[in-house]
Amino acid sequence: MKDTVKNITIAELPESERPREKMFRKGPKALSNAELLAIILRTGIKNQSALSIAYNILSEHNGLKFLANATVEELSQMEGVGLAKATQLMAVAELGKRISQYGAEDDAYIRCPKDAADILMEEMRYLNKEYMKVILLNIKCKVISIEEISIGSLNSSLAHPREIFVPAVKKSSAAIVMAHNHPSGDPSPSRDDIDLTKRISEAGKILGIELYDHIIIGNGIYVSLKEKNLF
Protein backbone atom coordinates (compact mmCIF):
# COMPACT_ATOMS: atom_id res chain seq x y z
CA MET A 1 0.00 0.00 0.00
CA LYS A 2 2.80 2.40 0.89
CA ASP A 3 4.53 1.83 -2.46
CA THR A 4 1.28 2.56 -4.26
CA VAL A 5 0.96 5.83 -2.42
CA LYS A 6 4.57 6.76 -3.17
CA ASN A 7 4.24 6.10 -6.90
CA ILE A 8 0.82 7.59 -7.54
CA THR A 9 0.69 10.64 -9.82
CA ILE A 10 -2.03 13.27 -9.79
CA ALA A 11 -2.52 12.80 -13.52
CA GLU A 12 -3.51 9.19 -12.84
CA LEU A 13 -6.32 10.25 -10.52
CA PRO A 14 -9.82 10.92 -11.84
CA GLU A 15 -10.14 14.64 -12.42
CA SER A 16 -12.78 14.89 -9.70
CA GLU A 17 -10.31 13.46 -7.14
CA ARG A 18 -7.36 15.72 -7.92
CA PRO A 19 -6.74 17.98 -4.90
CA ARG A 20 -7.27 21.35 -6.60
CA GLU A 21 -10.36 20.26 -8.51
CA LYS A 22 -11.74 18.56 -5.42
CA MET A 23 -11.32 21.77 -3.40
CA PHE A 24 -13.06 23.82 -6.09
CA ARG A 25 -16.04 21.47 -6.08
CA LYS A 26 -16.34 20.47 -2.42
CA GLY A 27 -14.38 23.04 -0.43
CA PRO A 28 -11.28 22.58 1.78
CA LYS A 29 -13.01 20.52 4.48
CA ALA A 30 -13.50 17.68 2.00
CA LEU A 31 -9.73 17.27 1.52
CA SER A 32 -7.46 15.05 3.56
CA ASN A 33 -4.35 16.44 5.26
CA ALA A 34 -2.22 14.99 2.46
CA GLU A 35 -4.36 16.61 -0.24
CA LEU A 36 -4.16 20.00 1.45
CA LEU A 37 -0.41 19.61 1.82
CA ALA A 38 -0.10 18.68 -1.87
CA ILE A 39 -1.79 21.94 -2.86
CA ILE A 40 0.76 23.87 -0.78
CA LEU A 41 3.69 21.92 -2.30
CA ARG A 42 2.24 22.55 -5.79
CA THR A 43 4.74 20.43 -7.73
CA GLY A 44 6.51 17.15 -7.29
CA ILE A 45 9.76 15.71 -8.59
CA LYS A 46 10.64 13.03 -11.09
CA ASN A 47 8.62 9.89 -10.32
CA GLN A 48 6.85 11.56 -7.39
CA SER A 49 3.86 13.86 -7.49
CA ALA A 50 3.16 16.55 -4.90
CA LEU A 51 0.49 14.22 -3.47
CA SER A 52 2.99 11.37 -3.09
CA ILE A 53 5.47 13.65 -1.33
CA ALA A 54 2.70 14.87 0.97
CA TYR A 55 1.70 11.31 1.91
CA ASN A 56 5.32 10.43 2.61
CA ILE A 57 5.88 13.48 4.83
CA LEU A 58 2.81 12.71 6.92
CA SER A 59 3.42 8.97 7.19
CA GLU A 60 7.15 9.08 7.91
CA HIS A 61 7.43 12.15 10.15
CA ASN A 62 4.64 11.95 12.74
CA GLY A 63 2.10 13.87 10.68
CA LEU A 64 0.93 17.39 11.45
CA LYS A 65 2.66 17.50 14.81
CA PHE A 66 6.01 17.34 13.02
CA LEU A 67 5.04 20.08 10.56
CA ALA A 68 3.91 22.35 13.39
CA ASN A 69 7.38 22.32 14.95
CA ALA A 70 9.78 21.52 12.09
CA THR A 71 12.70 23.74 11.15
CA VAL A 72 13.67 24.81 7.64
CA GLU A 73 16.67 22.48 7.85
CA GLU A 74 14.54 19.46 8.75
CA LEU A 75 11.99 20.14 6.04
CA SER A 76 14.45 20.95 3.27
CA GLN A 77 16.25 17.62 3.77
CA MET A 78 13.13 15.60 2.91
CA GLU A 79 12.95 14.01 -0.50
CA GLY A 80 11.05 16.25 -2.88
CA VAL A 81 10.91 19.27 -0.58
CA GLY A 82 14.03 21.45 -0.76
CA LEU A 83 14.55 24.95 0.58
CA ALA A 84 11.78 26.74 -1.36
CA LYS A 85 9.06 24.29 -0.40
CA ALA A 86 10.39 24.11 3.17
CA THR A 87 9.91 27.85 3.61
CA GLN A 88 6.39 27.57 2.11
CA LEU A 89 5.48 24.87 4.61
CA MET A 90 6.88 26.82 7.54
CA ALA A 91 5.05 29.96 6.47
CA VAL A 92 1.74 28.09 6.22
CA ALA A 93 2.28 26.42 9.63
CA GLU A 94 3.01 29.76 11.28
CA LEU A 95 0.07 31.43 9.57
CA GLY A 96 -2.20 28.65 10.81
CA LYS A 97 -1.04 29.25 14.39
CA ARG A 98 -1.67 32.98 14.06
CA ILE A 99 -5.10 32.47 12.53
CA SER A 100 -6.06 30.14 15.38
CA GLN A 101 -5.22 32.92 17.84
CA TYR A 102 -6.67 35.79 15.80
CA GLY A 103 -9.35 37.51 17.84
CA ALA A 104 -9.08 34.95 20.64
CA GLU A 105 -8.91 37.72 23.23
CA ASP A 106 -11.55 39.95 21.65
CA ASP A 107 -14.81 39.78 23.59
CA ALA A 108 -13.96 36.27 24.80
CA TYR A 109 -15.34 35.02 28.10
CA ILE A 110 -14.34 32.00 30.17
CA ARG A 111 -17.50 30.49 31.62
CA CYS A 112 -16.44 26.85 31.60
CA PRO A 113 -13.25 24.80 31.05
CA LYS A 114 -14.10 24.22 27.39
CA ASP A 115 -14.03 27.96 26.71
CA ALA A 116 -10.39 28.12 27.84
CA ALA A 117 -9.46 24.93 25.99
CA ASP A 118 -11.05 26.17 22.77
CA ILE A 119 -8.96 29.35 22.84
CA LEU A 120 -5.65 27.52 23.32
CA MET A 121 -6.09 24.07 21.78
CA GLU A 122 -4.91 24.64 18.21
CA GLU A 123 -1.94 26.72 19.29
CA MET A 124 -0.74 24.30 21.99
CA ARG A 125 -1.75 20.77 20.98
CA TYR A 126 1.28 20.11 18.72
CA LEU A 127 4.01 21.83 20.75
CA ASN A 128 7.00 19.58 21.48
CA LYS A 129 7.88 21.34 24.73
CA GLU A 130 5.72 22.23 27.70
CA TYR A 131 4.46 25.81 27.60
CA MET A 132 2.75 27.45 30.54
CA LYS A 133 0.25 30.19 29.74
CA VAL A 134 -2.12 32.20 31.89
CA ILE A 135 -5.44 33.64 30.77
CA LEU A 136 -6.12 36.88 32.66
CA LEU A 137 -9.78 37.64 33.41
CA ASN A 138 -11.69 40.65 34.65
CA ILE A 139 -14.45 40.49 37.25
CA LYS A 140 -16.98 39.45 34.57
CA CYS A 141 -14.72 36.62 33.34
CA LYS A 142 -13.87 38.46 30.14
CA VAL A 143 -10.40 37.72 28.79
CA ILE A 144 -8.02 40.62 29.36
CA SER A 145 -4.99 38.93 27.77
CA ILE A 146 -3.14 35.63 27.42
CA GLU A 147 0.37 35.63 28.85
CA GLU A 148 3.17 33.14 28.16
CA ILE A 149 4.81 32.33 31.50
CA SER A 150 7.42 29.69 30.81
CA ILE A 151 8.78 27.10 28.41
CA GLY A 152 9.83 23.85 30.06
CA SER A 153 11.49 20.66 28.94
CA LEU A 154 9.74 17.73 27.32
CA ASN A 155 8.56 16.45 30.68
CA SER A 156 8.41 19.42 33.02
CA SER A 157 7.10 22.95 33.02
CA LEU A 158 8.85 25.61 35.08
CA ALA A 159 6.46 28.00 36.75
CA HIS A 160 6.63 29.96 40.00
CA PRO A 161 3.76 31.85 41.64
CA ARG A 162 5.72 35.06 41.17
CA GLU A 163 5.92 34.67 37.37
CA ILE A 164 2.28 33.65 37.17
CA PHE A 165 0.87 36.52 39.22
CA VAL A 166 3.09 39.40 38.07
CA PRO A 167 1.12 39.99 34.82
CA ALA A 168 -2.16 39.43 36.70
CA VAL A 169 -1.29 42.14 39.22
CA LYS A 170 -0.04 44.55 36.54
CA LYS A 171 -3.25 44.20 34.55
CA SER A 172 -5.58 44.25 37.57
CA SER A 173 -6.98 40.79 36.91
CA ALA A 174 -9.77 39.50 39.11
CA ALA A 175 -9.00 35.88 38.26
CA ILE A 176 -6.76 33.67 36.14
CA VAL A 177 -6.87 30.37 34.31
CA MET A 178 -3.58 28.48 34.11
CA ALA A 179 -2.95 26.31 31.08
CA HIS A 180 -0.11 24.12 29.90
CA ASN A 181 0.33 21.38 27.34
CA HIS A 182 1.59 17.82 27.54
CA PRO A 183 3.72 17.07 24.44
CA SER A 184 2.86 13.37 24.77
CA GLY A 185 -0.71 14.24 23.79
CA ASP A 186 -2.06 12.75 27.04
CA PRO A 187 -3.44 15.52 29.29
CA SER A 188 -3.64 13.39 32.43
CA PRO A 189 -2.35 15.53 35.34
CA SER A 190 0.85 14.49 37.09
CA ARG A 191 1.48 14.83 40.82
CA ASP A 192 3.65 17.87 40.04
CA ASP A 193 0.76 19.43 38.08
CA ILE A 194 -1.59 18.96 41.01
CA ASP A 195 0.88 20.25 43.60
CA LEU A 196 1.67 23.34 41.50
CA THR A 197 -2.03 24.07 41.07
CA LYS A 198 -2.63 23.93 44.81
CA ARG A 199 0.31 26.28 45.42
CA ILE A 200 -0.97 28.79 42.86
CA SER A 201 -4.49 28.58 44.26
CA GLU A 202 -3.26 29.35 47.79
CA ALA A 203 -1.07 32.20 46.54
CA GLY A 204 -4.03 33.64 44.66
CA LYS A 205 -6.14 33.70 47.81
CA ILE A 206 -3.49 35.81 49.52
CA LEU A 207 -3.36 38.23 46.57
CA GLY A 208 -7.12 38.32 46.04
CA ILE A 209 -6.79 36.86 42.54
CA GLU A 210 -8.78 33.66 42.15
CA LEU A 211 -7.45 30.66 40.26
CA TYR A 212 -10.53 29.61 38.29
CA ASP A 213 -8.97 26.54 36.73
CA HIS A 214 -5.87 24.80 35.47
CA ILE A 215 -6.34 23.34 31.99
CA ILE A 216 -3.96 20.72 30.61
CA ILE A 217 -3.93 20.55 26.81
CA GLY A 218 -3.35 17.25 25.01
CA ASN A 219 -3.71 16.34 21.35
CA GLY A 220 -7.28 17.42 20.72
CA ILE A 221 -8.33 16.69 24.30
CA TYR A 222 -7.95 18.45 27.63
CA VAL A 223 -8.34 17.98 31.37
CA SER A 224 -9.72 20.55 33.80
CA LEU A 225 -8.26 20.15 37.28
CA LYS A 226 -11.23 22.06 38.66
CA GLU A 227 -13.68 19.59 37.13
CA LYS A 228 -11.59 16.78 38.63
CA ASN A 229 -11.74 18.48 42.06
CA LEU A 230 -7.93 18.36 42.27
CA PHE A 231 -7.51 21.71 43.99
Side-chain angles (χ1 to χ4, degrees):
M1 184 67 176
K2 190 174 180 182
D3 288 339
T4 302
V5 170
K6 280 193 172 185
N7 295 330
I8 193 171
T9 64
I10 292 177
E12 292 171 332
L13 292 171
E15 186 171 337
S16 62
E17 291 304 311
R18 297 171 188 173
R20 287 196 187 94
E21 286 78 1
K22 191 174 178 180
M23 181 178 280
F24 289 147
R25 289 188 307 104
K26 299 182 178 180
K29 290 184 178 180
L31 274 65
S32 67
N33 291 338
E35 289 170 328
L36 291 170
L37 190 55
I39 290 175
I40 296 167
L41 292 170
R42 296 183 59 217
T43 59
I45 57 174
K46 185 177 181 180
N47 299 324
Q48 280 203 65
S49 67
L51 186 58
S52 300
I53 295 169
Y55 273 116
N56 293 339
I57 290 172
L58 294 175
S59 64
E60 295 176 10
H61 296 88
N62 202 20
L64 294 179
K65 184 173 183 179
F66 168 77
L67 288 176
N69 296 284
T71 65
V72 169
E73 291 76 18
E74 289 172 325
L75 290 168
S76 62
Q77 290 171 9
M78 295 181 187
E79 184 179 7
V81 178
L83 185 59
K85 286 184 171 62
T87 55
Q88 287 173 215
L89 292 173
M90 282 200 70
V92 170
E94 179 60 28
L95 189 60
K97 293 175 186 176
R98 295 185 187 186
I99 289 172
S100 72
Q101 282 299 102
Y102 182 75
E105 301 168 28
D106 298 341
D107 297 323
Y109 290 82
I110 304 298
R111 297 189 175 92
C112 64
K114 185 176 182 298
D115 291 339
D118 285 346
I119 289 174
L120 296 172
M121 180 63 71
E122 291 309 310
E123 178 191 6
M124 298 184 74
R125 65 187 293 185
Y126 297 123
L127 296 171
N128 57 12
K129 291 184 179 180
E130 282 197 4
Y131 282 68
M132 173 67 74
K133 293 180 181 287
V134 172
I135 303 175
L136 307 183
L137 306 172
N138 69 14
I139 197 168
K140 295 184 178 180
C141 297
K142 182 179 179 180
V143 176
I144 298 172
S145 68
I146 300 172
E147 307 290 330
E148 186 173 291
I149 303 300
S150 66
I151 303 173
S153 66
L154 284 170
N155 55 17
S156 67
S157 184
L158 306 176
H160 187 279
R162 180 178 57 252
E163 279 71 41
I164 288 174
F165 283 108
V166 162
V169 170
K170 284 183 176 180
K171 298 190 178 183
S172 302
S173 303
I176 63 171
V177 174
M178 291 168 55
H180 81 278
N181 64 299
H182 280 180
S184 66
D186 178 2
S188 301
S190 66
R191 172 47 57 186
D192 286 345
D193 293 334
I194 297 169
D195 290 344
L196 172 63
T197 307
K198 290 178 178 178
R199 283 171 53 215
I200 299 303
S201 179
E202 291 303 313
K205 290 175 184 177
I206 296 171
L207 293 169
I209 301 174
E210 184 180 355
L211 174 63
Y212 272 4
D213 207 342
H214 183 178
I215 303 293
I216 302 178
I217 302 289
N219 188 4
I221 54 178
Y222 70 91
V223 165
S224 158
L225 272 70
K226 185 174 185 178
E227 285 186 335
K228 297 285 187 182
N229 295 314
L230 293 174
F231 71 98

